[in-house]
Every structure is written in C-alpha cells, then in structure tokens.
Amino acid sequence: MKNILDIKNLSYSFGNNPILKDINIHVNENEMVAIVGSSGVGKSTLFNLIAGVLKKQVGEITINGSEDYIGKVAYMLQKDLLFEHKTIIDNVILPLIIAKVNKKEALEEGNKILKQFNLDKYANKYPQQLSGGMRQRVALIRTYMFKRKIFLLDEAFSALDAITKKELHKWYLDLKKEFNLTTLLITHDIEEAVFLSDRIYILGNKPGEIIGEIEIEINPNEDIDVQRLLYKKEILNIMNIE
C-alpha cells in the first residue's frame, strides 16, 4: 500500500511551552486515519503543521515522499466557512476558479459532482437556505475540488446533531470510496473515529505524544456494534479514561 503522508520525529513548541513531542504517524493511500485525544493535547497544532499554517521546527513531514508538503493538503474545519453571498455552485467551484480554471469548465465540473451526489437541486440556492448537514456536504465537496493528495478533517462533523452526524458519516464514506480519498481526521469523538477509520492514533500527555495505535478490523459476520464497543473500550483504556 502506497504511503501518502509520513511524519517522523515531529516536535513543536510555542516559545518555552512544548506542545508536541516526537510524533511518528503515517497515512496510506485511500486510507482513513483518525487521531483522537482530549482537548489541549495538540491535535489542531499537528494539523496546522501538516497544512503549513505553522512552520515546522523539529522532525520531518513528507507527502508522496517529498518534503515539499506545503499546499498539498485540503483542510476542512468544524465550521463550513461557506460564503453566504455566493450560491452553492459558486461555493463548490471556488477552488477551481482560484486555480484559474475556465469558468464554463468549472461550472460543468461543479454541476456534475453535485448531480453525482444528488445535490444538483441546491445548485442555485444560498448557504443560509440549507440545513447544517447539507451545508457540511457542500463544504466537503468544495474541499474535494481543491484536488489535493490528502484531506485533513478537523472536527468536521462535531457541530452536527447526532442523527445528522450519522447520516453524514455514511455519506462521507461513500465520497471516500467514489473518489479514493485519503483522509486524516482529528476528533474527540471516539465512536466517530471507530466508525469511520481504518486506523486510529491516540494522542495523549502534555506535550502531546502518540500513546497508542489501533487498527480497526470489523468482521461483518459478527455483531458489528459489539466489535465497535470493544474498540472504544480499548481506546478509553489507553487514554486511561473510565
């Protein structure tokens, strides 16, 4: 399996305050990997380093074997950040317009992907006319349109109610399968991580360090809910949470 993202011995400090210590993780092609951990252990700092928002201090970040990793990821936050004054189709094609794609070609591609996911009827609506779940779908599609090697999802589903979140989880797995997406997700929601991920890294301590790695292997011939519950208990045990 091809390695897309590789992080070795990554450490980071804000002044004299160490935030991350000796982080070693990798994400393979078409894999969905989650990083779980309590608030304040450095999850968002790690993402900001991968995205190039923060400058790397110690360690190595490579994408497809290259240390030229800046600008190679698509980054989506908890807030959808849709432009309220733009229609859904104009929001979706924004990455293509930024990339200097011809407007007509961009519209053709944008309408095609909206139709592919049964969202074409919303093309000429505005974000405020959509539910939270629909807005997040549009934001995820817009993130895909950046055509980067890897998706970074920073608590991307956490603002949604439980039912909408479950629907969006299934929808994202369809999106991942359809477009062979490689995804790194950070979340405090262990159930979400177990449901979505192929592997899970557990980030703990201060400064934050990897304290566990779990591969999720669900046997469809056995009780799936029980299997997921056992994985959740294993993660909580590693995190030393009752």
Side-chain angles (χ1 to χ4, degrees):
M1 192 175 290
K2 184 180 178 184
N3 189 308
I4 297 292
L5 173 69
D6 201 14
I7 295 175
K8 295 179 180 176
N9 307 316
L10 187 71
S11 297
Y12 188 83
S13 298
F14 284 118
N16 295 322
N17 183 23
I19 305 299
L20 295 171
K21 178 184 176 183
D22 202 27
I23 301 296
N24 290 274
I25 65 172
H26 69 278
V27 182
N28 297 318
E29 188 173 29
N30 302 339
E31 192 177 32
M32 185 152 187
V33 174
I35 298 175
V36 300
S38 305
S39 297
V41 294
K43 299 189 300 296
S44 291
T45 299
L46 177 58
F47 261 33
N48 285 331
L49 287 164
I50 298 169
V53 176
L54 294 174
K55 189 174 181 180
K56 178 169 61 71
Q57 294 173 346
V58 177
E60 183 179 292
I61 300 173
T62 60
I63 292 181
N64 281 337
S66 171
E67 291 191 53
D68 180 22
Y69 63 92
I70 305 295
K72 299 295 195 305
V73 303
Y75 194 175
M76 182 170 162
L77 302 169
Q78 177 179 335
K79 294 182 180 179
D80 58 59
L81 300 180
L82 297 177
F83 288 98
E84 301 293 344
H85 65 285
K86 290 182 178 291
T87 61
I88 297 308
I89 185 63
D90 283 334
N91 268 285
V92 164
I93 67 171
L94 188 60
L96 301 178
I97 300 301
I98 292 172
K100 301 290 194 293
V101 173
N102 175 276
K103 180 74 179 284
K104 183 180 178 183
E105 292 177 17
L107 285 169
E108 287 177 358
E109 185 170 351
N111 280 307
K112 181 179 178 182
I113 194 170
L114 285 176
K115 187 173 183 179
Q116 194 166 354
F117 285 93
N118 298 314
L119 297 173
D120 47 314
K121 62 184 176 182
Y122 301 105
N124 295 313
K125 292 186 179 294
Y126 289 86
Q128 63 265 29
Q129 296 175 280
L130 271 58
S131 67
M134 295 307 296
R135 288 178 65 113
Q136 211 70 349
R137 283 175 167 83
V138 172
L140 284 162
I141 287 176
R142 183 178 66 179
T143 304
Y144 165 75
M145 297 294 268
F146 279 101
K147 308 293 179 68
R148 299 292 190 255
K149 297 295 183 184
I150 185 167
F151 263 41
L152 301 183
L153 302 182
D154 187 352
E155 301 281 8
F157 308 106
S158 63
L160 304 172
D161 64 82
I163 294 174
T164 303
K165 184 187 289 190
K166 286 182 179 179
E167 290 174 353
L168 203 60
H169 285 165
K170 293 174 182 176
W171 183 85
Y172 185 77
L173 290 176
D174 288 340
L175 188 74
K176 173 183 177 289
K177 184 177 180 181
E178 182 74 23
F179 297 110
N180 298 317
L181 301 182
T182 303
T183 310
L184 184 60
L185 164 76
I186 62 173
T187 179
H188 65 276
D189 186 337
I190 295 172
E191 289 183 16
E192 175 175 85
V194 171
F195 181 81
L196 289 173
S197 307
D198 300 300
R199 281 187 302 116
I200 297 173
Y201 288 107
I202 299 125
L203 191 65
N205 303 332
K206 289 189 179 182
E209 55 187 340
I210 301 299
I211 59 173
E213 178 185 355
I214 294 175
E215 189 165 348
I216 304 297
E217 296 179 332
I218 300 295
N219 184 342
N221 298 317
E222 297 179 7
D223 191 311
I224 292 174
D225 290 333
V226 169
Q227 292 176 75
R228 288 178 177 147
L229 180 61
L230 291 173
Y231 278 122
K232 181 180 177 180
K233 286 184 175 179
E234 184 179 355
I235 293 167
L236 289 171
N237 184 54
I238 293 171
M239 294 173 70
N240 198 25
I241 296 173
E242 295 297 331

